[in-house]
Amino acid sequence: MGKQKRQRGRPHKENPTGLMSVKDFDEIEDSTKGNKESTLQYLYDEIQSCNMEEKLSALHTLETMAWDASIARQIAKDGITKLAGPLLLDSKDMIRAAAAAAFKQIAENGGDQARTNLIDDDIMTPLTALMKQHYSNCLFNSDHKNVKYLRETYIEAVSLLWTLCENNENAINFINEQELVSILIKYLDINIYDMPIIITTIQFLITVIEDNSIAIEQIKSSEENLHDILAKMVAKNAKSSPEAWFARISSISLLTNICAWDDICKSKYFNVFIKTLDEVFSFDNKQLLSSLVSILPHEKNAESKNNRKKVLESKMLLNTQQLALEILMNLESNNDDEDDESLSVDGSEKMEVESNEMEADEASENLKRSLPVHLVEALNHYNIIGKIWEKTVAVDTDSQEILDQTVEGKNVLKQFSVVRQRAYFCLNNILPNFDIDALGGVNNLYSKWLEIGNAVIKEISPNEKELLEAAVHAMRAIVERLNDMQTDVFTQLSEPDFEIILMCDMQTRCADASVRVNMIRILGNVALNLTRNITRTYTMTKKLAEIILNDCSIQTQAWLLAESIDAIMDLFADDETDRLAADIHLVERLRSLVPIFRNKVKQQKKELKDRMDTVRIVNSNIARFIQYKTERVRKLR
């Protein structure tokens, strides 16, 4: 539980050119109904024309057609980079702008395969050359006759870089080799550049900085520029502006990567951070959803300048909430990283770990998971936890059906889902830092736990892997928090509530390994809580224990089997469980698992890597546990 790495990919970005027009949709529809291959071939020929107008028209049409994901993939597969890549360096400003816009649309809508094709065909070479030739020191001076195209090309090109770098290490390595970050950080100066330029730059930098020490070192020189962005956005008191919120939150996101936590805690950053969190999370997403539902299904209505602005601002606000949640989520992860190093011991010591040392390690695990006190107090003061809970609410069915009718609507639905996912992960990470009263008390936390369980079985599809993983993570965090409080709340489980647990187990049977292991831990923790009144909860406890044992018998991965065995040992560590152990033949079943477990470990040793710690601990303790429980069960007879 706990550490969640910030995900580099952010697939739901604002479109600087606005919504697709009715004409655009018609053009796509016409091309998809007709012969796509011949249409595309005609455009490829036009791109190579000596006539500027023909080139321009072909690029604009490709950009429009690339709104369709399948066409975008086809264009990338056809080798568009070799045909149109040189146009990124064309002598005509408007050609460069059109080429950048077309490539950006292909990369965004074509998915991973399109991006891979573009990179394999070396889109990075002309793209970085474009940035070096035209933007090493560009002020977008109004004296330049084509300043409009210069600005447009910058935004499209940097957005393209952003998309290419989201999930491709080769693109990031190329950025580092070409030292492109050192060029782009100049565009963080709010005294020179406007917000669209600054925001586009920050979005790219947030993505490329992840686990990138080279980029981090280059961005460090921009700390004052980031502080200026914060100061000026607050000075303008533009709290009703999604653009201002995003600028503030994204600046802080960069600062958390280049500054020590102690620096972030200084009042000049900290107060703005907390104030912005409060404003961003206080925004009513139901109201935002209602507004989008009234606009997006009606393309003619969405075409108005005012409505287009509303949609773009709504998307930016969702992006801002996502980024704010990631910052909170990863502040906790950063603390974990530091503490993990100080608590690490070598493998031989772990093989010999004694049960009392394991208990001490578990206590240390609880102690180490702490944010600075003044941050917790500030989050508590503004009820940030409560506001994060609100972001876990699903889009209602009616709104989902309406938004699912259009391309923009589908994108918005994805954004709401990503915000929900990040909210669950954020809760997973920060809940252990708060007193139970700050979380609304035991009964409220238990109610939230059931709420997430209902969402898992009724709202979240098994295909929504990341959302399912996030929800199950949050469920585990809550049950562990309740167990830490020594509360017996689960002994009051009603039959319908117990059914929720069983249905969650069924829902995650075929899920990813990370989801399944967390579900097993949830079952184990609930069962452990039930043992506090085992006479009354015997049937439910037995059912959960059987599920975990059955899970052990079907696991093919050594580390998952280790987690399941560990959950069983935790559950049956107490003497009050001796009768239950005898009834389900625990000792015999565990004894038969030991050679299977050790054989799997031997076979999969090279694959275990950082999961080896859990495997070693289980391997060290399983024999002693079986011996101990054998003696306890024998006494019953």
Side-chain angles (χ1 to χ4, degrees):
M1 187 191 85
K3 183 174 177 181
Q4 290 299 318
K5 180 179 176 181
R6 178 185 287 118
Q7 299 186 15
R8 177 174 284 125
R10 291 189 182 86
H12 316 300
K13 302 186 283 291
E14 291 73 33
N15 172 20
T17 60
L19 297 175
M20 202 188 321
S21 67
V22 177
K23 180 182 177 183
D24 290 339
F25 277 111
D26 290 342
E27 288 180 10
I28 290 177
E29 189 175 359
D30 290 343
S31 65
T32 53
K33 286 181 180 178
N35 189 330
K36 285 192 297 186
E37 289 76 14
S38 61
T39 301
L40 289 174
Q41 187 56 57
Y42 171 78
L43 293 173
Y44 300 154
D45 291 340
E46 289 285 282
I47 284 173
Q48 299 174 79
S49 169
C50 296
N51 185 292
M52 189 187 81
E53 291 184 358
E54 290 177 355
K55 283 183 183 179
L56 201 57
S57 176
L59 288 169
H60 287 319
T61 305
L62 279 179
E63 179 191 358
T64 299
M65 291 180 70
W67 275 87
D68 183 285
S70 63
I71 295 178
R73 286 192 292 272
Q74 184 62 51
I75 294 171
K77 184 179 178 182
D78 287 344
I80 189 63
T81 300
K82 295 173 182 176
L83 294 174
L87 298 184
L88 289 168
L89 300 171
D90 195 271
S91 60
K92 301 294 184 182
D93 293 330
M94 61 180 65
I95 294 291
R96 294 198 302 273
F103 276 116
K104 188 201 76 169
Q105 207 65 256
I106 293 165
E108 285 190 356
N109 295 326
D112 289 340
Q113 186 56 57
R115 292 188 280 272
T116 299
N117 286 337
L118 293 177
I119 291 171
D120 287 348
D121 289 341
D122 199 20
I123 186 64
M124 296 300 292
T125 294
L127 187 54
T128 53
L130 165 69
M131 302 308 297
K132 287 185 173 183
Q133 287 182 23
H134 296 278
Y135 299 102
S136 291
N137 192 21
C138 179
L139 301 178
F140 301 121
N141 194 310
S142 58
D143 293 338
H144 193 287
K145 63 179 181 179
N146 285 323
V147 66
K148 170 189 172 183
Y149 292 114
L150 273 175
R151 292 184 78 263
E152 180 183 331
T153 305
Y154 179 87
I155 290 173
E156 299 288 7
V158 176
S159 296
L160 172 58
L161 281 170
W162 175 19
T163 303
L164 294 173
C165 288
E166 282 176 342
N167 296 298
N168 195 294
E169 294 299 325
N170 290 332
I172 292 175
N173 291 336
F174 199 96
I175 294 292
N176 288 342
E177 291 169 6
Q178 297 297 315
E179 299 184 340
L180 207 56
V181 169
S182 62
I183 293 176
L184 294 180
I185 57 176
K186 299 172 185 176
Y187 293 89
L188 295 176
D189 192 339
I190 197 171
N191 298 307
I192 299 175
Y193 302 103
D194 59 19
M195 289 313 299
I197 295 295
I198 289 173
I199 285 175
T200 301
T201 305
I202 289 182
Q203 288 174 326
F204 166 75
L205 293 175
I206 288 172
T207 293
V208 81
I209 201 173
E210 181 68 33
D211 292 334
N212 188 346
S213 59
I214 296 174
I216 289 173
E217 284 302 313
Q218 292 173 337
I219 295 174
K220 281 182 178 179
S221 63
S222 297
E223 182 177 346
E224 284 306 311
N225 281 340
L226 293 170
H227 179 248
D228 283 347
I229 294 172
L230 290 175
K232 293 202 172 183
M233 286 298 100
V234 173
K236 290 180 179 179
N237 196 27
K239 75 175 188 177
S240 62
S241 165
E243 189 179 69
W245 282 331
F246 185 84
R248 284 152 62 179
I249 283 291
S250 56
S251 296
I252 292 168
S253 178
L254 284 179
L255 286 167
T256 58
N257 281 278
I258 65 176
C259 298
W261 172 243
D262 288 343
D263 293 328
I264 301 299
C265 287
K266 292 176 181 176
S267 59
K268 67 177 182 178
Y269 297 137
F270 185 76
N271 293 338
V272 175
F273 177 41
I274 297 299
K275 185 175 185 291
T276 307
L277 283 182
D278 180 48
E279 293 172 6
V280 169
F281 290 146
S282 294
F283 197 90
D284 187 351
N285 280 15
K286 290 182 180 178
Q287 177 185 333
L288 184 150
L289 177 64
S290 177
S291 174
L292 289 169
V293 167
S294 68
I295 296 172
L296 285 176
H298 314 288
E299 291 303 328
K300 290 183 180 179
N301 184 30
E303 271 299 288
S304 74
K305 183 177 179 180
N306 186 50
N307 282 337
R308 186 184 300 118
K309 181 182 178 184
K310 285 182 181 178
V311 173
L312 293 177
E313 287 183 344
S314 297
K315 294 172 71 178
M316 179 166 282
L317 179 55
L318 290 172
N319 271 337
T320 305
Q321 290 180 356
Q322 175 187 332
L323 188 53
L325 289 165
E326 289 175 357
I327 293 171
L328 280 179
M329 189 170 82
N330 287 286
L331 285 178
E332 178 67 12
S333 296
N334 291 339
N335 287 343
D336 283 351
D337 291 340
E338 293 168 7
D339 291 333
D340 284 345
E341 293 178 8
S342 64
L343 292 173
S344 65
V345 292
D346 65 39
S348 60
E349 290 176 311
K350 285 181 179 172
M351 286 292 288
E352 300 300 324
V353 68
E354 299 294 330
S355 58
N356 62 333
E357 292 175 324
M358 287 176 61
E359 292 172 1
D361 284 346
E362 290 171 358
S364 296
E365 177 70 18
N366 289 331
L367 287 173
K368 77 175 183 176
R369 301 189 52 73
S370 59
L371 292 172
V373 174
H374 69 289
L375 173 59
V376 174
E377 290 175 348
L379 296 176
N380 191 33
H381 175 76
Y382 286 101
N383 188 31
I384 298 297
I385 289 286
K387 291 166 184 174
I388 293 174
W389 276 117
E390 293 173 2
K391 307 310 173 192
T392 66
V393 177
V395 173
D396 64 275
T397 305
D398 290 341
S399 297
Q400 188 165 342
E401 289 178 356
I402 293 170
L403 291 175
D404 209 31
Q405 298 172 16
T406 64
V407 174
E408 280 295 327
K410 291 178 187 292
N411 288 336
V412 166
L413 284 173
K414 289 178 183 178
Q415 282 188 276
F416 273 106
S417 179
V418 171
V419 168
R420 189 183 186 195
Q421 175 210 122
R422 298 297 198 273
Y424 278 135
F425 272 136
C426 188
L427 290 168
N428 165 73
N429 278 17
I430 68 178
L431 280 179
N433 297 282
F434 289 82
D435 292 336
I436 203 74
D437 290 339
L439 301 173
V442 169
N443 290 332
N444 180 66
L445 203 53
Y446 172 68
S447 176
K448 292 293 186 184
W449 188 81
L450 291 176
E451 183 182 299
I452 301 175
N454 271 306
V456 167
I457 60 180
K458 295 178 181 179
E459 298 171 2
I460 303 175
S461 164
N463 295 327
E464 298 177 279
K465 295 178 181 179
E466 291 184 339
L467 182 57
L468 180 62
E469 180 183 5
V472 173
H473 261 93
M475 288 184 73
R476 178 176 174 179
I478 293 174
V479 72
E480 290 184 351
R481 189 75 184 88
L482 289 169
N483 274 358
D484 287 343
M485 293 300 299
Q486 300 295 311
T487 173
D488 61 353
V489 65
F490 287 98
T491 65
Q492 304 165 33
L493 271 172
S494 65
E495 194 168 317
D497 290 349
F498 188 67
E499 282 299 313
I500 291 176
I501 299 173
L502 299 183
M503 291 175 73
C504 283
D505 173 63
M506 291 296 296
Q507 185 79 338
T508 60
R509 286 285 173 89
C510 299
D512 288 350
S514 58
V515 175
R516 190 60 195 156
V517 74
N518 276 297
M519 194 67 232
I520 289 297
R521 284 298 185 179
I522 289 169
L523 297 176
N525 275 289
V526 172
L528 186 61
N529 193 285
L530 292 174
T531 60
R532 290 175 181 162
N533 194 347
I534 197 168
T535 303
R536 187 164 67 84
T537 64
Y538 188 85
T539 301
M540 288 189 288
T541 309
K542 182 180 179 182
K543 178 69 175 177
L544 296 179
E546 290 276 13
I547 289 174
I548 301 172
L549 271 174
N550 290 337
D551 201 80
C552 289
S553 65
I554 62 173
Q555 289 297 353
T556 59
Q557 297 184 59
W559 74 275
L560 280 177
L561 180 54
E563 291 279 3
S564 297
I565 293 174
D566 197 41
I568 284 292
M569 290 193 294
D570 285 345
L571 173 58
F572 286 94
D574 191 70
D575 293 347
E576 296 296 320
T577 61
D578 293 344
R579 173 55 60 190
L580 177 59
D583 288 351
I584 66 173
H585 306 291
L586 175 69
V587 171
E588 294 85 351
R589 293 170 75 174
L590 281 182
R591 193 174 281 128
S592 67
L593 279 173
V594 171
I596 297 173
F597 168 62
R598 288 178 173 163
N599 187 48
K600 288 185 187 297
V601 172
K602 185 177 180 180
Q603 292 175 347
Q604 302 171 22
K605 188 174 182 180
K606 294 181 179 179
E607 304 167 19
L608 293 172
K609 298 179 182 178
D610 57 340
R611 291 166 175 155
M612 181 59 82
D613 287 353
T614 300
V615 171
R616 281 173 175 151
I617 290 173
V618 170
N619 187 56
S620 176
N621 285 278
I622 183 68
R624 287 198 298 272
F625 177 81
I626 290 174
Q627 181 181 356
Y628 161 74
K629 214 62 182 176
T630 298
E631 294 172 359
R632 294 290 306 175
V633 170
R634 187 182 295 122
K635 289 180 181 179
L636 292 176
R637 299 168 182 163

